[in-house]
Amino acid sequence: MFDVIIIGGGASGFYAAIHIAETNPDLKIAIFEKGKEVLKKVSISGGGRCNVTNGESDSMALSKNYPRGSKELIGPFYAHGPQETRQFFESRGVPLKSEDDGRVFPVSNSSQSIIDCFLGETNRLGIAVYRQSSVTAIASKTGAENDITWKVTTIKKEYFCKRLLVAAGSNPKIWKLLEGLGHTIVPPVPSLFTFNIKDDRISGIPGVSTPAHVEVLPKNGFKPEIKVKLKSKRSEKPLFSAEGPVLITHWGLSGPAILRLSAWGALQLHDCKYRFPIKVNWLPEYHQNSVLSLLMEVKEVEAKKTVVRTKVFEIPKRLWTGLVNASDIAKEDKWAEVTKEKLQHLAGQLTNCRFMVEGKSVFKDEFVTAGGVDLKEINFKTYESKICKGLYLAGEIINVDAITGGFNFQNAWTGGYLAAMAISNDLNTQ
């Protein structure tokens, strides 16, 4: 018999367990983890450095980084946001640092610092951690004076508790159990993924990164021809757009701008089976007409130089070469020899570059899911279920997900903390 059982040995579960134990040291607390290792996602996040949180301190601005959950998280972030997260770790001997893009990491540059902190704290506070304890059933019963008892069945044994916190991440089996308790599960789909593209313009140049503006177009917005003419009569309204670094990979395109699109468009891109057109402006500070004007000027000034060897814009040389070739300009062609029509095509390649995405790839090992327990069924002051009294839900088990930058972990810390406080207060009043 435990006072509190936490299903899920991840970020949210450990964070909650530690806060419950510190608030009320007399409570018996257990964490159940299905795998051999706990905190696995913490270990691999941020390339092994663990992007703990983000430096954004304004709750309203912070919430705008969540395609799902943005409205619901404003209040919770006021109660426990990045500032409180930093204080938690630094007060436990894990100094943190902010990078220029707002991401926050341990000074050690190692996720092991976070893992050691959690394991040390659970050991110090006497929190039981059960590994390889996959949960197979959850049930509750209400006794005398409306006391609630939860029965948690694992592959090994049955356990009982007064309050249950589910922080099992994206776990279809646990979602099924919660559905059996009356919860609505929003069907999960992948978020945070890279775009698979086969195209001569970017093949053979993996590792090239440059700022760009990227738009996801309606399916009928793809023109198979590489040449893009000026002043297209058909206006196109993008479904989503993002600006930021774009990374060319062996499989297509990645980088912050692409990942942002994958998060905001997770549901729609899933519906079209990850086959959709995109438009890339490799020169986000320019539009197509201004680029053509500049190219015409260069044609006059640099008449005797070859186009491919002339550095006109601040874009990587290998990408410039690919776009020049795609404009039917040979590597030996000099500016004086290039027609206005070819320069129009080049201006199009630079600012209106079309690709067809033919699938997705997981972004490293940082798999994030859109979907989970319907947010309408959760009290966001306490993270208690509105369906089942004494049941709390936090982390990625609920329908909240974010773009990269430490935001997904902040959701885990915030939900874990508020659930912990509510559980502690609830049990203290009994």
Side-chain angles (χ1 to χ4, degrees), residues 59-64 69-79:
S59 299
M60 187 72 74
L62 184 65
S63 70
K64 290 179 180 176
S70 57
K71 292 179 185 176
E72 291 82 0
L73 290 173
I74 296 171
F77 285 152
Y78 273 113

Side-chain angles (χ1 to χ4, degrees), residues 90-359:
E90 290 182 335
S91 67
R92 288 163 176 78
V94 184
L96 303 176
K97 61 177 180 178
S98 295
E99 300 198 341
D100 292 342
D101 58 4
R103 294 182 300 165
V104 177
F105 292 91
V107 170
S108 66
N109 279 326
S110 172
S111 57
Q112 195 61 42
S113 299
I114 305 298
I115 295 170
D116 290 344
C117 170
F118 279 143
L119 295 179
E121 288 294 279
T122 52
N123 186 53
R124 176 179 72 85
L125 296 165
I127 299 166
V129 180
Y130 294 91
R131 296 169 176 81
Q132 293 182 283
S133 295
S134 183
V135 173
T136 58
I138 304 170
S140 70
K141 66 176 182 178
T142 304
E145 299 181 4
N146 289 324
D147 285 343
I148 301 165
T149 301
W150 285 91
K151 181 171 78 170
V152 178
T153 305
T154 73
I155 55 174
K156 297 177 180 178
K157 194 176 176 181
E158 288 182 349
Y159 299 85
F160 297 88
C161 64
K162 298 174 183 175
R163 297 295 178 269
L164 178 63
L165 170 59
V166 179
S170 303
N171 190 321
K173 291 182 180 177
I174 300 299
W175 278 326
K176 196 74 179 171
L177 297 180
L178 292 173
E179 205 169 29
L181 295 174
H183 270 290
T184 304
I185 306 301
V186 178
V189 301
S191 181
L192 291 187
F193 48 84
T194 63
F195 294 174
N196 292 353
I197 299 169
K198 291 181 180 178
D199 194 289
D200 290 342
R201 290 169 290 179
I202 58 172
S203 65
I205 56 170
V208 168
S209 179
T210 187
H213 180 86
V214 187
E215 297 178 355
V216 174
L217 302 175
K219 262 208 163 180
N220 61 3
F222 182 67
K223 299 175 183 177
E225 67 273 13
I226 288 177
K227 298 177 182 177
V228 182
K229 295 183 178 179
L230 284 171
K231 297 181 180 177
S232 172
K233 292 180 180 178
R234 180 176 60 185
S235 73
E236 296 162 315
K237 187 176 180 182
L239 301 177
F240 315 98
S241 65
E243 192 166 313
V246 170
L247 173 67
I248 297 172
T249 71
H250 288 286
W251 300 275
L253 297 178
S254 183
I258 299 298
L259 296 172
R260 204 169 290 131
L261 287 173
S262 75
W264 286 102
L267 302 181
Q268 292 90 333
L269 300 184
H270 173 267
D271 289 344
C272 68
K273 298 181 172 28
Y274 306 105
R275 281 163 176 78
F276 53 92
I278 63 171
K279 180 172 76 174
V280 182
N281 182 349
W282 300 108
L283 304 170
E285 68 275 25
Y286 293 93
H287 56 75
Q288 201 164 332
N289 286 314
S290 63
V291 169
L292 177 61
S293 297
L294 187 52
L295 292 175
M296 294 299 290
E297 289 179 23
V298 175
K299 175 180 168 68
E300 297 299 320
V301 177
E302 306 286 5
K304 295 182 180 180
K305 291 186 179 179
T306 58
V307 176
V308 77
R309 289 180 174 272
T310 307
K311 189 175 177 66
V312 181
F313 302 100
E314 290 296 324
I315 67 171
K317 184 179 178 182
R318 289 191 292 167
L319 176 60
W320 167 259
T321 301
L323 299 178
V324 169
N325 290 340
S327 306
D328 289 338
I329 299 173
K331 63 180 181 180
E332 65 274 5
D333 285 351
K334 295 181 173 61
W335 284 95
E337 302 164 346
V338 179
T339 64
K340 182 178 179 180
E341 185 182 11
K342 287 186 178 180
L343 292 183
Q344 284 181 329
H345 295 157
L346 179 55
Q349 293 296 340
L350 289 163
T351 61
N352 194 3
C353 197
R354 309 302 177 92
F355 296 100
M356 191 68 189
V357 177
E358 299 282 358

